[in-house]
Amino acid sequence: MNIRLENVGIAVRDIEAAIAFFTDLGLTVLGRDTVSGEWADTAVGLEGNHARIAVLQTPDGHGQIELFEYIHPDAIETEPTLPNEIGMHRVAFSVDDIDAALEIAAKHGCYPIRGVANYQDVYKLTYLRGPSGIIVMFAEDLTKH
């Protein structure tokens, strides 16, 4: 059996703000749609499922995220995920300039949770809270400079 990762889905409270954040980082919107109907109810497991969606791709063409904003049923607000909680955790990006990535994130009101770490002069990395409290990791490979 062949298997490949198609995308990572992220529910957001404001799809336009999330798209702006990720496109400013360099991702491109591949498509947008509004989904609903019996097929969507069955696939997702929610009766009356109705959502705005957008699929974005990383500049290298290998990674995709699917953002969705629920119209129905109402989205359920939860506390932002903590780094040590079980379950879906974060979306991670390799960046060639972590400082530039953090400047872009700051324009969206998103800042490192604790700071930027240097791992044995091999990687600089950080976690930050992105749109809707999503944990986003940036990692810069210092060996490529």
Side-chain angles (χ1 to χ4, degrees):
M1 175 182 85
N2 289 329
I3 187 169
R4 72 183 173 113
L5 180 64
E6 192 63 32
N7 64 49
V8 174
I10 305 170
V12 297
R13 78 178 57 90
D14 181 343
I15 198 165
E16 297 306 326
I19 289 170
F21 175 82
F22 288 111
T23 57
D24 280 357
L25 287 172
L27 281 73
T28 55
V29 177
L30 293 181
R32 296 174 70 131
D33 204 353
T34 301
V35 297
S36 64
E38 186 177 330
W39 73 270
D41 294 358
T42 300
V44 176
L46 288 173
E47 194 65 35
N49 180 39
H50 189 191
R52 292 180 193 90
I53 66 167
V55 177
L56 292 86
Q57 183 169 287
T58 56
D60 65 1
H62 296 292
Q64 293 183 1
I65 59 174
E66 180 180 331
L67 303 172
F68 40 95
E69 177 185 346
Y70 278 95
I71 299 167
H72 186 279
D74 290 338
I76 300 169
E77 287 285 341
T78 60
E79 291 297 316
T81 304
L82 296 175
N84 61 335
E85 287 181 345
I86 302 296
M88 291 299 292
H89 196 278
R90 61 163 167 71
V91 58
F93 296 100
S94 293
V95 297
D96 59 4
D97 184 341
I98 200 167
D99 295 324
L102 288 171
E103 284 179 26
I104 292 168
K107 291 178 188 174
H108 295 270
C110 304
Y111 302 96
I113 293 173
R114 185 167 175 177
V116 177
N118 182 318
Y119 176 71
Q120 299 181 354
D121 291 326
V122 175
Y123 283 100
K124 282 170 65 174
L125 22 92
T126 190
Y127 279 18
L128 58 96
R129 292 275 178 204
S132 300
I134 301 164
I135 297 178
V136 177
M137 184 184 94
F138 293 146
E140 178 182 351
D141 185 342
L142 299 174
T143 66
K144 293 185 178 182
H145 295 286

